Amino acid sequence: MSTDYTSLVVVVSGPGGVGKSTIVEKLVARDTQLWLSRSWTTRERRQGEALDAYNFVSRKDFEDNIASGGFLEWTDFLGNYYGTPTPNPPKGRDTVLEIEVDGAQQVKRINVRALLLFVLPPSRQEQKARLRGRGDPDPKVEKRLRKAEEEEPVGRAIADYVIVNDDLDSTVEEMSRIIAYERKQRTAS
Ligand code: ADP
Ligand code: 5GP
């Protein structure tokens, strides 16, 4: 009997404002085996947003990193670049990526065993309220809602699991259970 463990890549994706960052923060806080990748972005930091929410960089630095092959995946999302630097998790840890749908597709293409958890809001109305509640200005809210219409069918098609983030604690619980189950599948017996 062997207990070899193939580490997991968990991709959390879904439309803006659905609650991905909030969920991932809670998942990582309760599960020390998870290692959260920090993305790069060229967008401005939001008021009140943590300094280390992203590696905030210039377009030049981002493009230089593309040229030197430093990203696992990257995309242009509503006029800004976002990208996952080549992951380097500590040994034995599982990597978590919190990214939009185009990036999730790229990761699935590179790594068919990546676990894609696609998160949806209970309704478009609730998504709008969450984006506003977070302080996104109205034009940005509208853009993100329109983008969500494009993202949803693609996300559903490539997802391993689709989760509706209604009650936050239940969502985190459900995702923890899925991760535990998928870990068992990856432990050779
Ligand atoms: P995303 O990372 O998907 O863009 P955020 O994590 O920034 O979304 O969440 C957007 C807003 O919605 C935040 O203000 C967050 O506190 C709130 N939120 C997240 N999950 C829930 C939930 N289940 N119920 C109510 N509000 C939520
Ligand atoms: P926000 O501006 O709301 O922080 O992020 C906008 C979108 O970009 C969200 O859907 C977020 O998940 C996604 N995102 C964050 N980091 C990355 C990344 O490294 N790669 C990709 N493809 N998307 C990302």
Side-chain angles (χ1 to χ4, degrees), residues 60-133:
K60 161 97 176 60
D61 285 353
F62 200 103
E63 285 166 357
D64 285 350
N65 202 48
I66 296 172
S68 59
F71 288 115
L72 172 68
E73 62 73 34
W74 63 272
T75 198
D76 181 324
F77 182 87
L78 298 177
N80 280 301
Y81 289 136
Y82 293 80
T84 304
T86 308
N88 187 18
K91 198 169 167 5
R93 305 273 294 278
D94 295 321
T95 300
V96 182
L97 309 179
E98 188 250 286
I99 61 180
E100 52 68 67
V101 173
D102 177 52
Q105 269 183 305
Q106 295 179 48
V107 174
K108 272 286 199 184
R109 249 179 257 133
I110 299 163
N111 177 1
V112 288
R113 299 200 75 201
L115 173 67
L116 174 53
L117 309 180
F118 190 64
V119 187
L120 286 174
S123 65
R124 209 54 86 205
Q125 207 50 36
E126 174 63 18
Q127 183 190 358
K128 189 173 183 174
R130 288 183 191 173
L131 285 165
R132 282 201 168 137

Side-chain angles (χ1 to χ4, degrees), residues 39-55:
S39 295
W40 290 31
T41 186
T42 59
R43 86 150 159 74
E44 298 275 305
R45 190 163 67 88
R46 282 188 205 113
Q47 224 181 359
E49 190 172 34
L51 283 170
D52 64 353
Y54 284 99
N55 187 10

Side-chain angles (χ1 to χ4, degrees), residues 15-22 130 134 165-168:
V18 71
K20 299 180 297 294
S21 315
T22 312
R130 288 183 191 173
R134 183 173 76 179
N165 178 27
D166 194 344
D167 173 69
L168 181 60

